[in-house]
Amino acid sequence: MSMERNNVATMSAGALQTLMEIYGEDVWNYAFFLSRSSSAADDIAQETFIRAYKYMHAFRGEASVKTWLLRITRNRWYTYHSSSFMKRVTLLAAPDSTRTAQSAENAYMDESLSSEVWQLVLRLPRKYREILMLHAHYEMTMEELAHTLNISLSAAKSRLHRARQKASEYWEKELNGNG
Amino acid sequence: MARLPHDWEKRLQESPFADRHFTEKLQRNVNRRLNHPPQRKLRRWIYAAVILPLVALVLVIGYSSGGFSSLTGRPDHGAVSSGENSPDPGAAGTQSPALSFPSADPSGDEVQLPLVAVLAVPSVDDGYPAVRNPVPALPEMTFPLSAEMADQLQATLVYGADGKSSYLLLSPAGWVASAVIGANGSYGLTFTDPADPAQTLAYTDTNWSCQGCAISDIGLYFPEKADWAEDSGFPVYVPLHFKSRELLGTGGAAGRTVRYALQPDKDGLLADGAAYYEEGSWGYLIRRIELRHASGIPENAAMESILGFFAAVHGALILPESGPESGEADPAPYSTSDLLSTLEQQG
């Protein structure tokens, strides 16, 4: 942890490059699972590293570098999602959100996923796919989940439990739908 | 029926994608943006060079055509207002006749509260003159109050300049009211304690407009509806930290009414409030009232009456819409004295 902190606190352009090489995919994947859009994930991931470089002094070593970057990613996604542009797009798209046909990009990304379990997670509502990803993939502890998601510890446990239930429901529903 | 593989969460430890997506090109973009930040100063000068002549042109045209008369203080009979609630001196907050409420004590006398009239104005002037509408008749009050409320509360009649959106609320006595009607038809009212402006009482009604606002607020104040709100495309991003929360019933309107208290904010102010929502085939509405106050102020009994009145009538007491008395609109602007004299006539 202390070495990580030192590396970040003295981040140079070379260190930033190393950081992007090590954590770039993690940040991009998290951004993608939040936004379900590869173009949004491109933007959010770039913004995350720019932000990390500019505000490296804010890293206090209380969490791992990866967790710190994922929190920045979440904030960048939130800003991105709350922007007036996104709101306009979302409002226009909202009535159509129940459609079953996927866009070409969604279909391509869905097929690119490495397993059907990831495909299942991607279909879950945002708060469930997010907590599953943070817990199962990024191996965050309950305390880290609660801190990252800005919710209480009990709420984090409850949400993770609900996410597992939802995943199971979706799995069975899809099997029934396909079968 | 097949179940999820027992090790499905372990499979999530693998990378979701076989390919890399944070490519070298994206990494180069990051470096380029850090090394060459946007030329904001130059951009500002360019914007200034384009915008300033345009602003000057608009000002010249505006003043020469008299379009800014409302800003220069000249009377303009066409304008509703410049966005304030009391275009005439003494309009908002002017003391009016008292309003009688039944006593909570069966053997007690009626409780008289001061009636304050507040003129709500549209936040967006539609360019048409204000219409003289009759003040809506005030129904007999049925909400019981204890005798000591006579000194602690006031009844506030919010009267829309458009003849719509008239409603009645209880608030702490002496608090200054400011009401507005949003461009989308939603409306609201904020009371401020003149002795401590941080203490406020805010009321809002989405009035079947702004469905996104209504759905996300329903998800926020009724966490049991949060999943529905998210499925509707309006997730709750930052949930409220309720200190206490109670649904007032299990069905009907009471099941859609909640009383709550929030944890103290960073300034130490407490928030006590209530929310009520409706679902119609045409959409959703939510009404909310929230009192932000320092501990113990105002007295608990007064707060209970304010929030109890909201819960009893599911929001503010909506008064019937009033139209022009004649078939045609009277172009004369509605004045405060008209409003008060009519209130006096109605007792």
Side-chain angles (χ1 to χ4, degrees):
Chain A
M1 178 74 75
S2 62
M3 187 177 287
E4 276 185 336
R5 182 182 183 179
N6 194 44
N7 285 343
V8 173
T10 58
M11 196 194 295
S12 62
L16 173 67
Q17 187 60 38
T18 307
L19 209 60
M20 287 194 289
E21 283 168 8
I22 296 174
Y23 298 113
E25 282 308 298
D26 283 328
V27 166
W28 192 95
N29 288 338
Y30 182 41
F32 175 78
F33 270 77
L34 286 173
S35 62
R36 280 180 175 152
S37 159
S38 59
S39 57
D42 287 350
D43 289 345
I44 294 166
Q46 291 176 75
E47 288 290 335
T48 297
F49 284 106
I50 289 171
R51 201 86 179 167
Y53 186 80
K54 286 183 178 172
Y55 296 97
M56 56 189 167
H57 58 272
F59 180 74
R60 296 192 295 272
E62 293 166 351
S64 68
V65 173
K66 190 199 282 187
T67 303
W68 176 63
L69 285 171
L70 293 178
R71 282 180 196 153
I72 299 175
T73 308
R74 192 171 198 268
N75 288 335
R76 291 296 86 205
W77 168 78
Y78 188 76
T79 304
Y80 184 90
H81 192 266
S82 306
S83 69
S84 59
F85 168 77
M86 278 300 294
K87 274 186 179 168
R88 283 202 299 276
V89 172
T90 305
L91 284 173
L92 286 173
D96 204 19
S97 60
T98 54
R99 65 188 175 182
T100 51
Q102 290 182 307
S103 71
E105 188 210 351
N106 285 348
Y108 172 76
M109 295 306 294
D110 205 52
E111 285 173 14
S112 303
L113 285 164
S114 59
S115 71
E116 54 190 359
V117 178
W118 274 116
Q119 290 174 359
L120 170 77
V121 171
L122 185 60
R123 289 192 187 92
L124 292 174
R126 195 264 306 161
K127 68 180 182 184
Y128 298 135
R129 64 177 185 266
E130 181 183 24
I131 198 165
L132 278 174
M133 187 177 201
L134 291 175
H135 181 68
H137 184 63
Y138 296 118
E139 299 179 328
M140 280 193 184
T141 63
M142 279 296 168
E143 288 76 15
E144 285 175 324
L145 284 176
H147 189 200
T148 303
L149 301 175
N150 198 24
I151 56 179
S152 66
L153 191 60
S154 59
K157 287 177 184 171
S158 162
R159 186 178 295 184
L160 184 60
H161 179 67
R162 289 268 299 151
R164 286 170 172 149
Q165 280 182 333
K166 277 274 175 194
S168 185
E169 284 170 22
Y170 272 49
W171 181 270
E172 289 177 4
K173 200 185 296 177
E174 290 191 8
L175 280 182
N176 287 338
N178 294 336
Chain B
M1 184 178 296
R3 298 175 68 87
L4 258 173
H6 70 278
D7 64 340
W8 68 278
E9 283 193 60
K10 277 189 182 171
R11 293 192 199 176
L12 294 178
Q13 289 173 354
E14 300 161 8
S15 178
F17 297 102
D19 303 329
R20 287 183 67 84
H21 290 90
F22 195 67
T23 58
E24 287 182 7
K25 185 185 168 193
L26 294 181
Q27 294 176 25
R28 279 198 301 274
N29 285 348
V30 172
N31 285 317
R32 193 174 62 243
R33 286 176 59 186
L34 284 170
N35 294 329
H36 304 286
Q39 298 294 319
R40 287 186 179 164
K41 283 189 178 173
L42 179 63
R43 216 182 282 168
R44 279 180 203 155
W45 280 110
I46 294 171
Y47 287 153
V50 173
I51 290 171
L52 284 176
L54 278 175
V55 171
L57 190 63
V58 169
L59 286 173
V60 168
I61 293 171
Y63 276 101
S64 61
S65 65
F68 295 152
S69 56
S70 62
L71 297 179
T72 55
R74 281 182 283 155
D76 182 351
H77 295 288
V80 172
S81 83
S82 59
E84 294 177 1
N85 296 309
S86 51
D88 301 330
T94 301
Q95 294 290 327
S96 304
L99 191 61
S100 298
F101 287 77
S103 173
D105 177 1
S107 59
D109 294 332
E110 286 187 329
V111 180
Q112 304 267 320
L113 295 189
L115 180 61
V116 176
V118 174
L119 190 63
V121 293
S123 57
V124 177
D125 186 349
D126 61 5
Y128 291 98
V131 176
R132 184 194 297 271
N133 287 307
V135 175
L138 294 173
E140 187 175 341
M141 296 294 125
T142 56
F143 185 74
L145 292 175
S146 57
E148 62 267 27
M149 290 302 106
D151 298 327
Q152 296 181 25
L153 294 180
Q154 67 188 25
T156 300
L157 168 67
V158 181
Y159 181 73
D162 58 356
K164 302 171 186 173
S165 315
S166 299
Y167 54 97
L168 189 108
L169 273 177
L170 300 186
S171 69
W175 285 27
V176 180
S178 165
V180 74
I181 301 170
N184 59 9
S186 59
Y187 53 87
L189 176 69
T190 303
F191 294 93
T192 307
D193 179 1
D196 180 3
Q199 295 197 124
T200 56
L201 174 69
Y203 173 77
T204 56
D205 184 338
T206 58
N207 195 23
W208 302 108
S209 64
C210 188
Q211 292 303 293
C213 316
I215 293 170
S216 58
D217 271 1
I218 291 171
L220 189 62
Y221 289 91
F222 297 84
E224 60 275 14
K225 302 281 289 181
D227 288 346
W228 162 81
E230 177 159 351
D231 290 345
S232 303
F234 299 95
V236 175
Y237 294 116
V238 185
L240 290 171
H241 296 295
F242 292 107
K243 189 173 151 195
S244 64
R245 183 179 171 279
E246 182 191 5
L247 271 177
L248 300 191
T250 53
R256 289 179 273 110
T257 308
V258 68
R259 280 279 308 270
Y260 65 86
L262 299 180
Q263 299 288 354
D265 66 10
K266 58 182 168 46
D267 300 319
L269 287 175
L270 304 171
D272 286 88
Y276 165 81
Y277 74 92
E278 280 185 32
E279 296 171 312
S281 54
W282 50 87
Y284 307 90
L285 77 71
I286 183 166
R287 298 178 183 137
R288 295 194 293 110
I289 191 167
E290 189 170 282
L291 182 66
R292 301 184 75 81
H293 60 97
S295 178
I297 302 173
E299 295 299 328
N300 278 343
M303 185 175 74
E304 287 303 317
S305 295
I306 291 167
L307 300 182
F309 184 78
F310 175 98
V313 299
H314 313 307
L317 180 62
I318 309 286
L319 301 174
E321 187 175 317
S322 59
E325 285 176 319
S326 64
E328 296 177 5
D330 183 346
Y334 198 90
S335 71
T336 308
S337 55
D338 292 333
L339 176 63
L340 293 175
S341 63
T342 312
L343 278 171
E344 281 167 4
Q345 286 169 15
Q346 293 179 355

